Amino acid sequence: MLDKKLKWIFNTFSGSVFNTVISTFCIVLLFFVINNLLGFISNSEWAVVTENRRLLLIGRMPQEEEWRAWSILWISSFLIFSSLKSFISPSKKELTFIFLIVMILCLIFTTESSIFKVIITLMISSFSYLLTKYISDTPIIHKFNKFLIFLWIFLVPLVFCLLLIADGPKPTLWGGFLLNIILASVAIGIGFPLGLLFALGRASSLPAIKIVCTVYIETIRGAPLVAWLLLAWFVLPKFLPEFWGLNDISVVVRAMIILSAFTSAYTAEVIRGGLQSIPKGQIEAADSLNLNVFTKTSIIILPQAIRVVIPALISTFIGVFKDTSLVFILALTDLLQVGRIIPEQDPEFFGKALEALSVVAFMFWIVSIALSNLSSRVEKSMGIGTR
Amino acid sequence: MKNKSKKQIGNEIISTDNITKSFGKFQALKGITSKIYEQEVVVVFGPSGSGKSTYIRTLNRLEPHDSGKIIVDGVEITDDVKNLQHVRSNVGMVFQQFNLFPHLSVLRNITLAPQKVKGLKRSDADEVAMNLLKRVGIPEQASKFPSQLSGGQQQRLAIARALAMQPKIMLFDEPTSALDPEMIKEVLEVMTELAESGMTMICVTHEMGFAREVADRFLFFDEGLIVEEGTPDHFFNNPQEDRTKLFLSQIL
Ligand SMILES: Nc1ncnc2c1ncn2[C@@H]1O[C@H](COP(=O)(O)OP(=O)(O)OP(=O)(O)O)[C@@H](O)[C@H]1O
Ligand SMILES: [Mg+2]
């Protein structure tokens, strides 16, 4: 073991002079960065974060509604950690990394009043992981996996239920990290299947369908998201019919519509790239076997097309997740907006922008890194059977 | 040669009447008239670009023809979807590049169409598939993926996949041209067995040894036309056309 490490160090510094210089430079740089980072962490006052914990995580939802957020967190913890074991089975290294991140999150966000609930969250997480590990060799695991997938599919509706039942707070009060997660999930959950349809439509041989899909995709992609959000703010209400109060729909719903439309257009183009990569022979083989259009598309073409574009697809999703912070244009207070406003408006925390924003950045980073790791995992697990 | 004398040639099952096909300005088929009979093995050969692939691909409408008339198993090939389905479910095809489904297991490659098109139950389809894999000699590969098979095994799988739909006619478009020489034999053996079992077959191939032994009739294509047709003996002993003679002297 030690031998290996020595060898690694030796390899890093040996070789050409150039190699040695670069390696040394990088290590010195790394040292300075880490040193400054640790200095920043220990010298800063983190009260701006701990005191505004609720704002950052769930926005302006009143305290008595907090239970909704906690139950969402607990269900998600169960889902995430069960699925982690069942579908991903992380290595020791990866587990350590996840553990570290969870610990950092706890350190940042735990307060005296919430310590009990945080402990419950941690217990649910580790218990779910261990339970899944325990049953992973028994036949129940197949049913359990199906249950997990089912729960993932219905997670967003479930979250909506939890937020709305028993006279929940107005959607405009949803905010913080929760809002980013909800918007991104809805945008991807609706945008991805829609994007599939638009991609197929654009590749279709029927001119009418092809034109409609092409125009849709190019129109949505033709303007920046900000422009579409402004449109949703000023113009959308005028176009929507008055009955059912449609012209007065909540800005949160408007944000969801715009983000879903946006995601669908980008996803469609990514998937179209995948469709083009399918060799003609695949379609000829399917035709010669007399497969109907539906089977041909859903079993032969799409699975292969999507597999090719998984990295690009996940990049799109990461982009969408980060773009959800643009909903401040609709006067919603997402995580980034909270991090920006507090140091500006709360006299107690004037000038603490760096602390607040670095925590915001950290939260975005966690989700992005999780998604991109997921992407490489999916790619690897699909590697078998590729040509 | 042994079985050939015993073989019964049956009724007409495919007839093409003066079919043409153009790609842009280039006319690939310039009026092909042919008849294929049940249980017959017909070998199609000729120079590159002479329209051999185009011809057999019109027979299951992978390539729609421009004019002329094609009748397969009593049904004319037109735009009509019902007719097309009837034809495609009776005509199996094997491609030069195998065209297996790389993301599906060997077994699933075979069972997909019987399950989805014929509505077979999974267990029945699996059984059919295993029997076919035994027939083409690769039953032990069932749970692998196509890319894990050798070229010869892949082509045999492709034959099994086509056979799973129980076609009356099998089309082969240069099934051994993409294979290394040592794998050609194993594929030809499967095809020989298939021919002996009485399958109606149209093969585009330049494997003249195989063709001579198995074929009942040769069609020689050049520049979008059938230039000469006849028994193997006719072609090997006394070909009539100069173009045929020239081509045979090049490939033999
Ligand atoms: N999809 C297409 N578009 C344009 N031209 C085509 C197309 N398919 C075939 N052709 C042309 O039609 C002619 C006949 O092609 P075909 O594939 O039938 O020849 P072939 O006899 O099978 O030749 P080979 O031995 O090379 O396979 C060729 O000149 C080819 O370039
Ligand atoms: Mg050809």
Side-chain angles (χ1 to χ4, degrees):
Chain A
M1 195 65 192
L2 193 68
D3 230 35
K4 251 190 197 163
K5 276 183 187 160
L6 282 176
K7 216 173 196 172
W8 183 81
I9 293 175
F10 180 75
N11 282 342
T12 319
F13 288 98
S14 64
S16 63
V17 181
F18 182 69
N19 228 339
T20 318
V21 171
I22 294 274
S23 301
T24 318
F25 178 75
C26 287
I27 288 189
V28 171
L29 194 72
L30 201 67
F31 174 77
F32 273 110
V33 169
I34 291 181
N35 195 25
N36 282 342
L37 202 65
L38 288 178
F40 167 66
I41 291 173
S42 55
N43 295 335
S44 311
E45 282 192 35
W46 293 98
V48 59
V49 175
T50 44
E51 307 244 317
N52 293 302
R53 170 184 67 89
R54 181 145 43 79
L55 268 179
L56 284 164
L57 291 178
I58 60 175
R60 287 175 294 159
M61 266 190 344
Q63 180 150 25
E64 61 272 19
E65 306 287 358
E66 230 182 69
W67 63 271
R68 298 172 193 275
W70 283 109
S71 26
I72 291 170
L73 179 65
W74 290 338
I75 292 173
S76 315
S77 303
F78 163 74
L79 250 184
I80 290 174
F81 282 88
S82 303
S83 310
L84 189 69
K85 176 64 199 157
S86 204
F87 301 129
I88 298 185
S89 6
S91 63
K92 278 227 169 71
K93 241 190 218 165
E94 289 166 314
L95 263 185
T96 320
F97 185 69
I98 293 167
F99 179 77
L100 264 178
I101 292 203
V102 171
M103 283 305 119
I104 294 176
L105 285 176
C106 289
L107 274 179
I108 297 177
F109 290 113
T110 314
T111 56
E112 255 169 56
S113 61
S114 69
I115 194 153
F116 181 61
K117 288 173 199 140
V118 169
I119 289 175
I120 292 185
T121 315
L122 290 178
M123 275 169 61
I124 290 180
S125 306
S126 36
F127 187 73
S128 314
Y129 189 89
L130 292 175
L131 176 83
T132 316
K133 189 173 177 180
Y134 180 72
I135 62 167
S136 63
D137 289 330
T138 65
I140 318 169
I141 191 72
H142 298 294
K143 279 203 180 132
F144 186 68
N145 283 348
K146 269 186 198 154
F147 170 70
L148 287 181
I149 292 171
F150 177 81
L151 210 56
W152 273 114
I153 294 172
F154 289 98
L155 183 60
V156 176
L158 192 67
V159 166
F160 279 123
C161 284
L162 281 169
L163 286 172
L164 296 171
I165 48 162
D167 213 9
K170 273 193 305 186
T172 35
L173 292 181
W174 301 352
F177 189 59
L178 181 65
L179 180 66
N180 294 93
I181 294 283
I182 289 179
L183 288 176
S185 309
V186 170
I188 293 167
I190 295 177
F192 175 65
L194 266 186
L196 268 183
L197 294 181
F198 282 120
L200 289 172
R202 192 166 183 177
S204 154
S205 51
L206 301 173
I209 295 182
K210 189 181 171 126
I211 289 172
V212 169
C213 292
T214 309
V215 168
Y216 172 85
I217 292 170
E218 295 304 341
T219 313
I220 300 275
R221 295 200 319 156
L225 180 55
V226 177
W228 287 113
L229 287 170
L230 284 172
L231 195 82
W233 181 242
F234 293 113
V235 187
L236 200 58
K238 288 190 188 133
F239 275 103
L240 288 172
E242 242 172 76
F243 56 89
W244 298 335
L246 268 183
N247 56 341
D248 195 28
I249 58 174
S250 160
V251 278
V252 177
V253 179
R254 283 187 235 168
M256 285 172 183
I257 294 173
I258 295 293
L259 283 167
S260 304
F262 207 71
T263 310
S264 71
Y266 277 85
T267 314
E269 280 303 276
V270 169
I271 293 173
R272 194 166 69 98
L275 290 178
Q276 282 170 343
S277 77
I278 306 276
K280 224 174 116 204
Q282 291 291 305
I283 291 152
E284 290 178 351
D287 283 342
S288 76
L289 289 169
N290 205 11
L291 299 180
N292 63 26
V293 177
F294 180 75
T295 312
K296 186 167 69 173
T297 313
S298 64
I299 299 186
I300 305 300
I301 300 175
L302 279 183
Q304 296 190 65
I306 291 176
R307 172 179 307 178
V308 179
V309 297
I310 281 176
L313 214 49
I314 302 266
S315 302
T316 310
F317 292 166
I318 291 176
V320 168
F321 172 66
K322 289 184 291 191
D323 281 348
T324 55
S325 55
L326 288 173
V327 294
F328 75 87
I329 289 172
L330 299 177
L332 294 171
T333 39
D334 80 304
L335 177 63
L336 180 61
Q337 189 66 355
V338 176
R340 207 175 64 82
I341 288 178
I342 301 169
E344 267 176 21
Q345 299 186 350
D346 193 335
E348 201 184 329
F349 302 115
F350 272 155
K352 294 281 176 223
L354 195 54
E355 284 86 348
L357 287 176
S358 52
V359 166
V360 168
F362 181 63
M363 302 292 286
F364 277 107
W365 178 80
I366 290 175
V367 176
S368 306
I369 202 88
L371 279 176
S372 72
N373 272 327
L374 187 70
S375 136
S376 55
R377 267 316 180 100
V378 175
E379 257 178 89
K380 253 187 225 156
S381 75
M382 280 185 160
I384 190 160
T386 49
R387 50 184 72 240
Chain B
M1 291 250 199
K2 36 214 157 17
N3 294 345
K4 212 183 282 173
S5 50
K6 281 187 230 152
K7 197 158 154 185
Q8 297 280 317
I9 300 292
N11 301 325
E12 181 182 308
I13 191 162
I14 297 179
S15 87
T16 67
D17 184 15
N18 204 19
I19 50 172
T20 65
K21 170 75 188 177
S22 297
F23 297 105
K25 278 193 183 139
F26 178 78
Q27 198 171 19
L29 298 181
K30 298 175 180 162
I32 304 284
T33 303
S34 62
K35 284 193 184 348
I36 313 287
Y37 298 91
E38 271 174 1
Q39 311 223 332
E40 202 182 16
V41 177
V42 174
V43 160
V44 174
F45 72 111
S48 181
S50 56
K52 309 179 294 290
S53 299
T54 312
Y55 166 65
I56 73 166
R57 287 156 60 86
T58 55
L59 300 180
N60 64 349
R61 210 174 175 79
L62 286 186
E63 216 68 87
H65 56 290
D66 298 337
S67 70
K69 194 168 174 180
I70 304 176
I71 294 174
V72 176
D73 195 30
V75 172
E76 185 179 355
I77 300 186
T78 56
D79 279 333
D80 188 276
V81 180
K82 253 214 169 117
N83 286 2
L84 188 59
Q85 275 178 354
H86 176 86
V87 169
R88 283 189 175 160
S89 60
N90 284 307
V91 177
M93 184 151 192
V94 175
F95 303 86
Q96 183 176 353
Q97 301 297 341
F98 325 141
N99 295 351
L100 297 167
F101 305 130
H103 61 304
L104 302 179
S105 73
V106 166
L107 196 71
R108 186 81 178 128
N109 260 277
I110 304 180
T111 58
L112 179 66
Q115 276 186 272
K116 297 291 173 185
V117 181
K118 289 189 160 178
L120 247 62
K121 271 197 310 206
R122 170 123 194 214
S123 52
D124 295 344
D126 283 355
E127 199 185 319
V128 169
M130 280 316 295
N131 285 335
L132 283 168
L133 284 176
K134 277 182 205 142
R135 186 169 173 190
V136 301
I138 48 171
E140 71 286 354
Q141 313 287 350
S143 57
K144 290 192 182 167
F145 282 90
S147 59
Q148 295 167 308
L149 269 51
S150 74
Q153 291 172 330
Q154 292 191 31
Q155 193 59 298
R156 286 187 278 161
L157 168 58
I159 296 174
R161 178 178 70 176
L163 289 177
M165 290 299 286
Q166 298 178 306
K168 292 183 183 163
I169 304 153
M170 285 283 283
L171 308 175
F172 294 83
D173 191 358
E174 306 206 32
T176 56
S177 318
L179 294 176
D180 293 337
E182 73 268 20
M183 294 172 184
I184 292 179
K185 198 166 144 255
E186 61 190 53
V187 173
L188 292 181
E189 272 166 11
V190 171
M191 289 171 62
T192 308
E193 186 271 324
L194 194 58
E196 281 165 2
S197 76
M199 175 66 73
T200 310
M201 291 165 54
I202 305 179
C203 313
V204 177
T205 181
H206 291 133
E207 292 295 330
M208 286 326 235
F210 161 82
R212 184 172 198 167
E213 185 167 336
V214 175
D216 299 300
R217 197 150 51 97
F218 281 9
L219 301 181
F220 176 66
F221 270 62
D222 194 17
E223 297 188 347
L225 286 169
I226 297 178
V227 175
E228 189 164 354
E229 69 173 284
T231 62
D233 283 345
H234 165 86
F235 270 86
F236 283 108
N237 299 328
N238 118 54
Q240 297 299 309
E241 302 286 329
D242 287 343
R243 279 190 279 179
T244 319
K245 286 179 200 161
L246 181 67
F247 185 72
L248 281 171
S249 72
Q250 281 166 352
I251 62 165
L252 287 178

